Amino acid sequence: MDKPVETPPDGPVEKATDRVEFETMLLSRHSHLHAPRARVGGGLDRSAYVLLTRIRMHGPMSIGQLTDAFGLDASTLNRQTAAMLRAGVVERIPDPDGGIARKFRITEEGERRLAADRSYNIGGLQRIMEHWSPEDVTRFADFLERFNRDIERLEGRPWPRS
């Protein structure tokens, strides 16, 4: 079990870290920007969106590979991939490298739905940041990438980037 992190004495860095904690909490409530689309007409749920994105970047993946990539237990991933199979966004295929485990590959329907959701999400972000300068958008993207890479480094699970 992880030890709780002690709160350091207040100072400029600690106050800024408090703000980051608060703002990421607020951001997490918006992390389902595409959820209304899921209710209205065929959008992907959050777990399918993230899993499909990873499989798209990595190529076909087994339950074991998904477990390693996400740090989730196999039963959770079995439930999520079963729902994705029923939705027709992935299919099970023999390991292209000749391994024993079957792998999940995105279907044409999965590619179509992932592209539609991604386009919808990007459009929403563009509306949110429409009054930002291009430099501010780039800086924000750079800081988000740095933040995510540091989380990935601490967890030991880097995310592939193109």
Side-chain angles (χ1 to χ4, degrees):
M1 181 178 233
D2 292 337
K3 270 178 81 173
V5 177
E6 289 185 33
T7 305
D10 282 349
V13 172
E14 290 77 18
K15 295 247 185 241
T17 305
D18 287 350
R19 287 183 52 216
V20 170
E21 183 279 332
F22 182 76
E23 295 300 333
T24 56
M25 180 275 302
L26 290 176
L27 182 62
S28 71
R29 72 189 175 111
H30 302 296
S31 66
H32 58 282
L33 291 173
H34 65 285
R37 184 175 145 68
R39 286 192 294 271
V40 173
L44 299 165
D45 68 32
R46 185 178 182 283
S47 65
Y49 185 85
V50 174
L51 285 167
L52 285 175
T53 299
R54 183 61 182 254
I55 293 168
R56 186 168 183 266
M57 296 181 86
H58 181 273
M61 296 178 77
S62 67
I63 287 290
Q65 289 171 313
L66 291 169
T67 296
D68 291 343
F70 289 97
L72 297 172
D73 61 81
S75 64
T76 298
L77 287 163
N78 277 319
R79 280 191 306 277
Q80 292 174 345
T81 55
M84 293 167 60
L85 283 164
R86 284 190 304 275
V89 297
V90 294
E91 60 187 349
R92 290 194 86 155
I93 61 167
D95 185 344
D97 300 321
I100 296 171
R102 294 176 52 88
K103 294 194 174 186
F104 293 94
R105 175 175 62 192
I106 299 178
T107 62
E108 285 185 29
E109 175 68 6
E111 289 282 1
R112 183 192 67 72
R113 290 177 63 184
L114 182 60
D117 278 22
R118 188 164 187 265
S119 178
Y120 181 85
N121 292 342
I122 289 169
L125 290 169
Q126 287 170 339
R127 284 189 303 280
I128 291 166
M129 296 183 285
E130 69 184 337
H131 300 294
W132 293 28
S133 72
E135 297 80 18
D136 282 350
V137 175
T138 298
R139 266 193 301 275
F140 185 62
D142 290 344
F143 279 123
L144 279 175
E145 180 180 340
R146 180 178 173 187
F147 186 75
N148 279 319
R149 283 185 186 272
D150 282 344
I151 292 170
E152 293 161 12
R153 175 184 48 79
L154 290 171
E155 290 182 344
R157 284 189 290 276
W159 189 274
R161 290 175 170 80
S162 48

